[in-house]
Amino acid sequence: MNWIQNKTTLSCAFPPNGRYLIGVSGGRDSVALLYYLVDLGFKKLVVCHLNHQLRGRSSDADARFVEKLADKYDLDVERGSTNVGALAKKKKMSIETAGREARYSFFAKVAKRRRCRTIFLAHHADDLVETFLINLFRGAGTTGLAAMREVSTRLVNDVELTIVRPLLSIRRDDIDKYVRKHRIKFRDDASNKNLEPTRNRIRRQVIPYVERTLGRNIRQNIWRTATIVAEEESFFETLLPKKLSHPVALALKPLRKMPLAMQRRMLQKWLRDGKVTDVGFDLIERVRALADVANSVAKTNLPQDRHVRRRAGSLFIE
């Protein structure tokens, strides 16, 4: 039923005769999505593949496989390459985070060059469940818990990408059945069996353990919760200004009049619009404390040697 619903809603929101980007790693999910979209009549897709340089010859083979796949469907292809391992060390972040940052940077460059700002990605229902749990264990608020949505926008290097995830309501098992039914060939990534990345431990150890302990399948309930949170966050976002009147200064008087939840969302948006990295709960609370004029502290530090200062009734990012 979800596949049928996708066919209807996807074609209405994103007409098949339009030009769109699609991220294809060569793995099962992204290849299945490519096949699915081509089957629906999307003939002007631009296949985007980034070589992460993590698996040597296997990574190079993935790139060749994707290129042949694009040729098979007579689609344009954009290839890039980034040493994700070196990027992770340089920026002191996990391989998964570095890979995600590299991919979106690559997508943004292609989007700008191709003058096409919409990209299809192959995240599915199980990815949504895993991301929800990862962010929950990290102590994220509802904004973090709603991080993955069917349609969302993301500002990357001054390029606003519209991200579409048509498979977000489709289970991994159903994608497997789809791949077998249509005899779709794909590249198997052996690193998915590595238990070092947090996501793989959540997928292979934590969720199965909880299901065995409780004696029930928890994935559907978590997926439902994540979907509800995402819908509510979308509503709250409509209450915030799309563009702030000043990219650096934030007036304190209207901020103080907002309910606490809206203050936090406003500050999060302001900090992110100011290109502040690692905007978490603790940072937002430190900045929010500056709104209290009775607070003798008028400055708090930000990542990358930046800070927020209270001055003349406003907050400034410096």
Side-chain angles (χ1 to χ4, degrees), residues 9-48:
T9 57
L10 185 66
S11 297
C12 290
F14 302 94
N17 60 354
R19 178 173 293 276
Y20 309 100
L21 310 180
I22 177 172
V24 182
S25 66
R28 179 204 55 183
D29 303 333
S30 61
V31 173
L33 175 61
L34 177 62
Y35 182 94
Y36 177 61
L37 292 176
V38 170
D39 189 50
L40 290 181
F42 288 80
K43 305 297 185 183
K44 298 179 182 179
L45 298 171
V46 179
V47 176
C48 304

Side-chain angles (χ1 to χ4, degrees), residues 68-92:
K68 290 180 180 178
L69 198 60
D71 288 340
K72 176 182 176 181
Y73 295 126
D74 194 26
L75 301 173
D76 291 344
V77 61
E78 289 275 358
R79 286 178 52 177
S81 184
T82 300
N83 189 331
V84 170
L87 179 65
K89 288 183 179 179
K90 180 181 179 181
K91 294 198 171 185
K92 298 180 180 179

Side-chain angles (χ1 to χ4, degrees), residues 283-299:
L283 175 56
I284 290 173
E285 287 302 281
R286 282 194 284 112
V287 175
R288 195 173 67 84
L290 299 180
D292 184 359
V293 292
N295 186 357
S296 59
V297 178
K299 172 184 172 184

Side-chain angles (χ1 to χ4, degrees), residues 139 255 263-291 295 299-309 315-318:
L255 180 68
Q263 287 183 24
R264 288 172 174 154
R265 285 175 170 83
M266 188 68 182
L267 288 172
Q268 181 187 56
K269 176 178 175 57
W270 178 64
L271 290 168
R272 286 181 173 173
D273 286 354
K275 298 182 179 179
V276 177
T277 59
D278 300 324
V279 180
F281 178 80
D282 291 339
L283 175 56
I284 290 173
E285 287 302 281
R286 282 194 284 112
V287 175
R288 195 173 67 84
L290 299 180
N295 186 357
K299 172 184 172 184
T300 190
N301 292 329
L302 299 174
Q304 300 178 334
D305 296 324
R306 302 171 74 191
H307 59 265
V308 172
R309 186 187 300 276
L315 296 178
F316 294 86
I317 298 175
E318 299 175 340

Side-chain angles (χ1 to χ4, degrees), residues 82-305:
T82 300
N83 189 331
V84 170
L87 179 65
K89 288 183 179 179
K90 180 181 179 181
K91 294 198 171 185
K92 298 180 180 179
M93 58 178 59
S94 68
I95 291 291
E96 184 179 21
T97 302
R100 183 167 57 250
E101 184 175 295
R103 283 193 300 277
Y104 278 106
S105 179
F106 168 65
F107 294 153
K109 289 178 183 177
V110 175
K112 190 172 184 179
R113 182 164 59 248
R114 292 277 183 165
R115 296 181 180 179
C116 177
R117 305 300 171 94
T118 300
I119 183 165
F120 291 110
L121 298 180
H123 297 116
H124 50 71
D126 291 82
D127 289 325
L128 176 61
V129 170
E130 292 156 11
T131 300
F132 181 90
L133 290 176
I134 289 170
N135 289 340
L136 177 66
F137 296 153
R138 287 174 176 167
T142 52
T143 303
L145 297 178
M148 198 176 284
R149 312 181 195 184
E150 288 187 342
V151 181
S152 60
T153 59
R154 180 167 180 163
L155 187 65
V156 184
N157 301 332
D158 296 325
V159 175
E160 189 174 83
L161 286 174
T162 296
I163 302 164
V164 185
R165 299 179 173 94
L167 305 183
L168 207 57
S169 61
I170 309 297
R171 289 287 310 278
R172 182 180 284 117
D173 291 343
D174 293 323
I175 296 176
D176 281 338
K177 293 175 185 176
Y178 182 85
V179 167
R180 288 195 297 268
K181 176 182 177 181
H182 296 280
R183 299 180 181 180
I184 299 172
K185 294 182 179 180
F186 59 90
R187 293 278 299 171
D188 192 17
D189 186 351
S191 66
N192 288 331
K193 298 178 182 179
N194 178 10
L195 293 179
E196 185 175 344
T198 301
R199 180 175 296 275
N200 288 356
R201 295 200 301 274
I202 294 287
R203 177 186 306 159
R204 294 182 172 275
Q205 294 182 326
V206 175
I207 293 177
Y209 173 78
V210 173
E211 289 183 333
R212 286 195 305 270
T213 302
L214 298 181
R216 68 178 67 176
N217 187 330
I218 65 170
R219 290 176 173 87
Q220 181 63 26
N221 290 339
I222 295 175
W223 177 88
R224 186 183 298 115
T225 301
T227 302
I228 292 171
V229 171
E231 291 167 350
E232 291 179 351
E233 280 301 303
S234 295
F235 166 72
F236 278 114
E237 286 176 1
T238 64
L239 303 180
L240 296 175
K242 290 187 176 181
K243 289 187 178 181
L244 299 177
S245 58
H246 195 293
V248 178
L250 182 66
L252 289 176
K253 188 174 181 179
L255 180 68
R256 293 194 196 100
K257 293 181 180 179
M258 294 179 180
L260 178 56
M262 292 303 296
Q263 287 183 24
R264 288 172 174 154
R265 285 175 170 83
M266 188 68 182
L267 288 172
Q268 181 187 56
K269 176 178 175 57
W270 178 64
L271 290 168
R272 286 181 173 173
D273 286 354
K275 298 182 179 179
V276 177
T277 59
D278 300 324
V279 180
F281 178 80
D282 291 339
L283 175 56
I284 290 173
E285 287 302 281
R286 282 194 284 112
V287 175
R288 195 173 67 84
L290 299 180
D292 184 359
V293 292
N295 186 357
S296 59
V297 178
K299 172 184 172 184
T300 190
N301 292 329
L302 299 174
Q304 300 178 334
D305 296 324

